[in-house]
Amino acid sequence: MDSTIGLINTYSTLNIGDSAIYSALASMTPNAQVFAQVQDVEPEYTPNLQLLDPLPTCDAYISVGGDIFNNAREGFITKAFLKNLYQLTRSPKQTFVFGQSIPRSCHGLSFQALTWCLRRLAAVCVRDVESYQRLTKAGVSAILSYDSAFVLEVTKQAKREAQDIFQALDVVSNLVTLISLRTFDAMYAHDNQRFAQQLVGLCRNLLARGEQPVLLIQSRAYGSDNDLEMAAAIVTQVPQVKIFNPFLATTTLSRWQLVMGALAIARQIVAIRYHTAVLALASGRVPFNLYYSNKGRDLTERLKIPGCNLAHFDPEIHLAPILQTAQQSFGHEAIRHQVQQNFNTCFAKVRKHS
């Protein structure tokens, strides 16, 4: 091992998208030991990552991708936001941001504080055009790339185990429409009751066509970031709907690997959660992308994949384009290569200051 890397501004391994990001970053530095500290009492297995509390002193630090710079209070700067900024300032020349999005809740004073910190880092790489444009306009020398999880690959074992889960649910994978879901809060404005009814309508339309809707549990983390309650509410109204919960599986794989396996073999994918779309694309599949923020919209616009803003989703109108995705595939090799190259560029800037 020629270096040690600490992941900072981490969230939780109980959110499969975040766990996938951590594994992806670690996989891009095969000759390094990669450490992180998370809040989970019982963290989920995350390949290539060592969890330590407190985080040790490292040769380099990576501020992980995600929407960690949400600032929940309009006109103020929250304690959580300041804590994230502080982590950027401890060793700025040994720190780079990779695969980040700057959410719209970060504006005004919070955005000014963030850009002040980012201008002092070794490198900054973001995953969507809107974030890139906002930062460069504010004088941050940023790189535009894609989400870190694009470097991950689906395995045969993951497909086999996902198939076993589908069989246990008494569904046939080539009839499955795998649908991710989430509960919305102040960070992302969408009415939860309306969202549930949109998905109820979609599930009923799929069943009427002989398709099998299956809800994907992608997070069992904190507060509203837990998919179980929403899934239960939908199944109450449409009992024929099944739930794919990777957290219940007995496996040697990580939860994100199981999810990639399921996405690879399902007939269609409806991605509400951002990393459902990313992991599907990284598996060579084209999802129908129901986005609710700039990061999700960016996937549809830059990669030309089908989808729409969740606020405009109509289960009747959009059923046909959802079904059409079953015939489509996605070439992910060029994006995987670009993300690795962008990572190497950022890491080289940290090494220059070591």
Side-chain angles (χ1 to χ4, degrees):
M1 298 290 180
D2 62 1
S3 61
T4 56
I5 297 172
L7 303 186
I8 60 172
N9 290 320
T10 49
Y11 168 52
S12 172
T13 63
L14 308 183
N15 180 305
I16 283 172
D18 286 75
S19 180
I21 287 172
Y22 307 155
S23 284
L25 291 170
S27 74
M28 287 189 278
T29 55
N31 296 319
Q33 295 184 76
V34 181
F35 304 103
Q37 177 186 355
V38 295
Q39 60 185 304
D40 311 327
V41 175
E42 295 183 7
E44 292 288 346
Y45 165 59
T46 300
N48 307 315
L49 184 68
Q50 299 180 55
L51 296 175
L52 293 177
D53 185 5
L55 189 70
T57 300
C58 297
D59 300 317
Y61 300 93
I62 305 172
S63 181
V64 299
D67 286 353
I68 57 166
F69 294 114
N70 265 311
N71 186 59
R73 297 183 64 194
E74 188 84 20
F76 296 91
I77 300 180
T78 65
K79 289 182 180 179
F81 186 85
L82 289 173
K83 182 180 177 182
N84 287 333
L85 289 189
Y86 172 71
Q87 293 191 58
L88 295 179
T89 62
R90 288 187 296 179
S91 302
K93 295 305 179 184
Q94 278 68 52
T95 300
F96 67 97
V97 166
F98 195 81
Q100 195 73 64
S101 287
I102 311 302
R104 292 178 181 177
S105 63
C106 178
H107 61 89
L109 287 175
S110 60
F111 184 67
Q112 291 176 35
L114 174 61
T115 54
W116 186 90
C117 293
L118 294 182
R119 285 192 292 267
R120 284 148 181 81
L121 301 185
V124 174
C125 183
V126 293
R127 62 185 178 181
D128 68 277
V129 170
E130 183 176 313
S131 296
Y132 173 76
Q133 291 175 338
R134 289 183 68 195
L135 291 179
T136 52
K137 186 177 180 180
V140 177
S141 180
I143 296 170
L144 176 62
S145 188
Y146 293 94
D147 189 83
S148 308
F150 270 107
V151 303
L152 300 174
E153 300 184 58
V154 66
T155 65
K156 291 180 180 178
Q157 182 183 351
K159 293 179 186 178
R160 286 195 303 269
E161 294 194 20
Q163 189 73 264
D164 291 342
I165 295 174
F166 283 137
Q167 289 177 354
L169 294 174
D170 196 28
V171 298
V172 179
S173 60
N174 62 8
L175 294 177
V176 164
T177 301
L178 199 57
I179 306 167
S180 65
L181 64 166
R182 62 165 296 149
T183 302
F184 294 91
D185 56 20
M187 296 294 188
Y188 297 109
H190 194 78
D191 182 83
N192 283 309
Q193 187 173 359
R194 179 175 179 234
F195 174 52
Q197 290 310 120
Q198 286 174 304
L199 289 193
V200 164
L202 174 61
C203 290
R204 286 174 174 161
N205 288 341
L206 288 165
L207 287 163
R209 292 288 299 265
E211 308 284 335
Q212 175 61 62
V214 177
L215 303 177
L216 173 62
I217 303 301
Q218 198 171 301
S219 181
R220 62 178 187 94
Y222 308 100
S224 62
D225 192 24
N226 190 316
D227 299 337
L228 290 167
E229 185 176 344
M230 178 69 76
I234 293 167
V235 172
T236 298
Q237 296 188 63
V238 192
Q240 306 98 309
V241 172
K242 307 291 185 177
I243 297 176
F244 185 102
N245 188 345
F247 296 103
L248 298 180
T250 301
T251 178
T252 58
L253 298 176
S254 68
R255 306 305 173 183
W256 65 257
Q257 288 172 313
L258 271 183
V259 167
M260 284 192 84
L263 294 167
I265 64 175
R267 181 173 174 82
Q268 288 112 202
I269 300 148
V270 178
I272 285 93
R273 281 193 175 270
Y274 175 76
H275 276 98
T276 307
V278 170
L279 294 175
L281 293 163
S283 302
R285 302 297 310 282
V286 174
F288 187 85
N289 184 32
L290 274 181
Y291 55 84
Y292 54 87
S293 67
N294 52 303
K295 61 183 179 181
R297 188 188 74 241
D298 186 76
L299 289 178
T300 285
E301 292 182 352
R302 272 206 291 165
L303 300 181
K304 311 299 182 188
I305 63 171
C308 70
N309 190 304
L310 180 57
H312 305 141
F313 177 61
D314 186 312
E316 301 279 347
I317 294 172
H318 292 107
L319 180 61
I322 289 171
L323 296 176
Q324 289 170 5
T325 61
Q327 313 302 322
Q328 301 173 15
S329 60
F330 183 78
H332 47 73
E333 293 81 4
I335 291 180
R336 177 174 288 122
H337 178 73
Q338 180 181 338
V339 172
Q340 179 69 67
Q341 290 299 108
N342 293 146
F343 182 90
N344 293 346
T345 297
C346 293
F347 196 36
K349 292 183 179 181
V350 169
R351 286 177 174 272
K352 186 174 70 172
H353 293 289
S354 298

